[in-house]
Amino acid sequence: MNWEEFLAPYKQAVNELKVKLKGIRDQFEKADDHTPVEFVTGRVKPIPSIMDKAKRKDIPTNKLQEEMHDIAGLRVMCQFVEDINRVIQHLRNRKDFEIVEERDYVTNQKESGYRSYHVVVRYPVQTIHGEQMLLVEIQIRTLAMNFWATIEHSLNYKYNKKIPSNIQRRLQRAAEAASRLDDEMSEIRGEIKEAQKVFMQKKEKEEKEN
């Protein structure tokens, strides 16, 4: 397996989709509307992680492109839980890729406390060898969900996916706290959005004066 050659189209897909998804934020800002996108990150799964998952899922090397959904992955961060649905609807309306799977861990959170919305898309990448249709996983979550998921990922790595039960209980309590935070932010989102709008107007005025 020539990993560099195999992963090159995935890196291209991540770079292209990052630009496109960041464009959502710019378009909402230009329309003077609340943007559901706070920021976007992306990555290609490291080779050892691909090999480890392929072994666990019994996926042969020649089937990786068809059967592994998250070799290329993007995360769209939102301020409010309500923003997640706006992003999902936008993705469903796009014509530059096809949605092949959706997994709602926001409404139906995992037992661990993990919350996020996963959308798997089939994205066309143009290469010198022709078009390749690649699977890309897009995760949409709030900042609170992302903070919790990042910590859990680090602990899973440290304990080789066998987190001690006492830490698991603390993680679950932290997940509940993160969920309450999202609920509270939703309750006052009108005030927050108005404050952010005033701040941006003031900032733009200061920039023009300078």
Side-chain angles (χ1 to χ4, degrees), residues 11-27:
K11 293 177 182 178
Q12 182 177 329
V14 168
N15 290 333
E16 290 179 8
L17 283 167
K18 278 174 67 177
V19 171
K20 291 180 177 184
L21 295 176
K22 286 178 181 178
I24 301 173
R25 178 184 175 88
D26 295 338
Q27 290 169 40

Side-chain angles (χ1 to χ4, degrees), residues 1 54 74 172 189:
M1 163 78 78
L74 290 102
Q172 287 170 338
R189 69 182 182 277

Side-chain angles (χ1 to χ4, degrees), residues 31-176:
D32 197 28
D33 192 8
H34 168 73
T35 173
V37 177
E38 184 68 10
F39 63 91
V40 180
T41 63
R43 64 95 186 102
V44 172
K45 189 184 281 291
I47 296 170
S49 297
I50 294 174
M51 295 174 68
D52 178 60
K53 185 169 184 177
K55 185 177 180 180
R56 285 188 288 108
K57 300 287 187 179
D58 196 27
I59 302 174
T61 305
N62 63 344
K63 294 289 186 180
L64 287 174
Q65 187 168 319
E66 295 84 11
E67 297 186 19
M68 194 171 291
H69 293 176
D70 62 345
I71 294 176
L74 290 102
R75 287 180 187 152
V76 178
M77 250 59 75
C78 307
Q79 285 189 331
F80 307 108
V81 176
E82 291 78 10
D83 291 336
I84 294 175
N85 286 329
R86 294 184 73 188
V87 174
I88 294 165
Q89 287 302 323
H90 178 83
L91 296 181
R92 288 172 180 162
N93 291 335
R94 292 189 73 109
K95 305 298 182 185
D96 49 346
F97 52 69
E98 174 195 2
I99 293 178
V100 296
E101 184 178 348
E102 296 185 32
R103 298 193 297 278
D104 183 358
Y105 300 122
V106 176
T107 306
N108 307 296
Q109 72 177 44
K110 291 186 178 182
E111 187 176 346
S112 64
Y114 177 85
R115 298 166 69 222
S116 186
Y117 199 101
H118 294 192
V119 177
V120 179
V121 304
R122 185 174 285 110
Y123 181 74
V125 175
Q126 308 302 322
T127 75
I128 60 172
H129 304 296
E131 183 177 87
Q132 285 193 44
M133 301 297 291
L134 301 180
L135 294 174
V136 180
E137 183 178 78
I138 303 172
Q139 299 176 354
I140 308 110
R141 55 178 65 157
T142 65
L143 298 169
M145 293 175 194
N146 188 63
F147 173 70
W148 185 92
T150 301
I151 298 302
E152 188 212 27
H153 180 77
S154 299
L155 288 169
N156 268 318
Y157 183 81
K158 176 181 178 180
Y159 291 107
N160 196 25
K161 298 187 182 296
K162 297 177 182 177
I163 300 175
S165 57
N166 64 315
I167 297 180
Q168 284 182 345
R169 287 193 295 273
R170 288 179 177 271
L171 268 176
Q172 287 170 338
R173 289 200 293 272
E176 292 167 4

